[in-house]
Amino acid sequence: MYEVANKFNFNCHMTACCCQNMEIFLNPYDILKISENLNVTTTEIIDEFILFLEDRETGLFRPILKSARTGLCKFNIDKLCTIHVNRPLSCRLFPLARISGKFLLQQAPFCTGLTDITSIKLTDYLNESSVEEYLSMSDLYHLKYDVLKNLNNGLLKNEYYNNLLNILLYDIDFFYNGELKNINSKDKFTLSLYLVDKLLDIFKLNRSYDKKMIIEELFMEGDKFIVKNFN
Ligand code: SF4
Ligand code: SF4
């Protein structure tokens, strides 16, 4: 991979080779946008399309597109992405990747588009791919992920807390039993991150709550957040 500062040679030939046999990582906002696109809950998206890979060192989970890992992505039909408008950030960026704030061109021998002589400006490519909001949501997610990765307080080793953390982060519709219908993806995402912080607070303070009280406190905090920010 090398950094793209200004221009790179690329023109997509619509082969769909980047939609198969790839580990395509998603962030919570990607999941929310796909669920918005299909008008279903995050739970339904996760059940059908997502696989969670565990980072054994940290105990954290990262979602990927399940079908694309060993075959063709289920969203690809006749070499077209059926969720193009709400496709995940990784798909928007390909053949680029963003690492530490830099845009890198991936070495992908299967991508004939990279052999095209068409030159494209980085800024034009990013604009055409409408990545701005996806990038800022991804930044927020990675900031949170880094905090979680560096947790040294046993939360991730506690099965109950770890499961709850994953529900809050990736499947907010499950937590709210599908009742967040009037809240858009961006707001759901900020609510998710807020509730993750609240869960960390509960764990840090080592309150001797039973499971019912933890859930009650999270709902109470969530309600306050919704009233303050979304009404
Ligand atoms: S592999 Fe390359 S050329 Fe083929 S669809 Fe993906 S970006 Fe386009
Ligand atoms: S979501 Fe769309 S662009 Fe991404 S891998 Fe699936 S079909 Fe391809």
Side-chain angles (χ1 to χ4, degrees):
M1 291 206 258
Y2 68 86
E3 186 181 354
V4 177
N6 184 14
K7 291 179 175 178
F8 61 107
N9 284 358
F10 175 68
N11 184 23
C12 182
H13 294 169
M14 311 284 283
T15 61
C17 291
C18 55
C19 301
Q20 50 196 299
N21 304 317
M22 304 265 286
E23 280 188 352
I24 298 172
F25 284 89
L26 309 182
N27 62 54
Y29 186 66
D30 290 326
I31 297 174
L32 285 162
K33 289 301 282 184
I34 297 172
S35 78
E36 185 182 302
N37 182 291
L38 300 181
N39 200 20
V40 296
T41 62
T42 50
T43 311
E44 289 166 278
I45 294 300
I46 287 169
D47 285 350
E48 189 164 356
F49 300 105
I50 307 288
L51 177 72
F52 284 94
L53 300 182
E54 185 181 5
D55 177 344
R56 292 217 178 106
E57 249 176 61
T58 61
L60 285 167
F61 288 87
R62 297 277 319 269
I64 62 169
L65 283 174
K66 185 162 53 181
S67 52
R69 193 185 197 200
T70 52
L72 182 63
C73 174
K74 267 192 180 179
F75 293 120
N76 194 297
I77 295 178
D78 295 335
K79 299 194 173 168
L80 291 176
C81 177
T82 53
I83 55 161
H84 184 76
V85 178
N86 293 105
R87 68 200 185 284
L89 177 62
S90 304
C91 305
R92 282 167 196 273
L93 286 177
F94 190 86
L96 299 174
R98 192 178 59 142
I99 297 174
S100 305
K102 292 179 178 158
F103 291 98
L104 307 177
L105 193 61
Q106 302 191 47
Q107 302 296 303
F110 58 82
C111 176
T112 56
L114 288 168
T115 61
D116 201 286
I117 54 164
T118 306
S119 173
I120 182 159
K121 269 189 176 176
L122 175 63
T123 47
D124 290 345
Y125 188 72
L126 297 177
N127 284 340
E128 281 165 23
S129 304
S130 307
V131 291
E132 201 175 334
E133 182 157 297
Y134 280 81
L135 287 174
S136 53
M137 297 298 118
S138 169
D139 286 345
L140 289 174
Y141 168 62
H142 282 103
L143 279 174
K144 190 66 63 198
Y145 194 85
D146 284 345
V147 169
L148 296 170
K149 206 166 69 180
N150 294 319
L151 278 181
N152 200 14
N153 60 6
L155 183 145
L156 299 174
K157 292 194 177 76
N158 179 311
E159 198 181 341
Y160 178 73
Y161 274 92
N162 198 345
N163 281 339
L164 193 47
L165 174 72
N166 282 307
I167 289 169
L168 296 175
L169 199 51
Y170 299 115
D171 195 2
I172 192 75
D173 285 336
F174 180 82
F175 187 70
Y176 278 98
N177 201 19
E179 285 168 11
L180 293 177
K181 288 193 179 70
N182 297 324
I183 298 182
N184 66 37
S185 296
K186 194 174 166 188
D187 289 344
K188 280 185 183 178
F189 180 57
T190 55
L191 175 63
S192 271
L193 296 186
Y194 179 77
L195 289 176
V196 166
D197 282 342
K198 291 296 141 195
L199 183 68
L200 299 187
D201 287 347
I202 293 171
F203 189 82
K204 252 188 254 161
L205 291 171
N206 199 18
R207 293 181 186 153
S208 50
Y209 281 178
D210 61 19
K211 292 174 183 172
K212 190 167 166 263
M213 287 171 83
I214 294 170
I215 299 296
E216 277 174 5
E217 171 129 351
L218 288 171
F219 273 128
M220 196 182 69
E221 291 293 343
D223 285 351
K224 279 196 271 177
F225 188 84
I226 289 169
V227 169
K228 187 173 169 202
N229 296 286
F230 308 153
N231 287 319

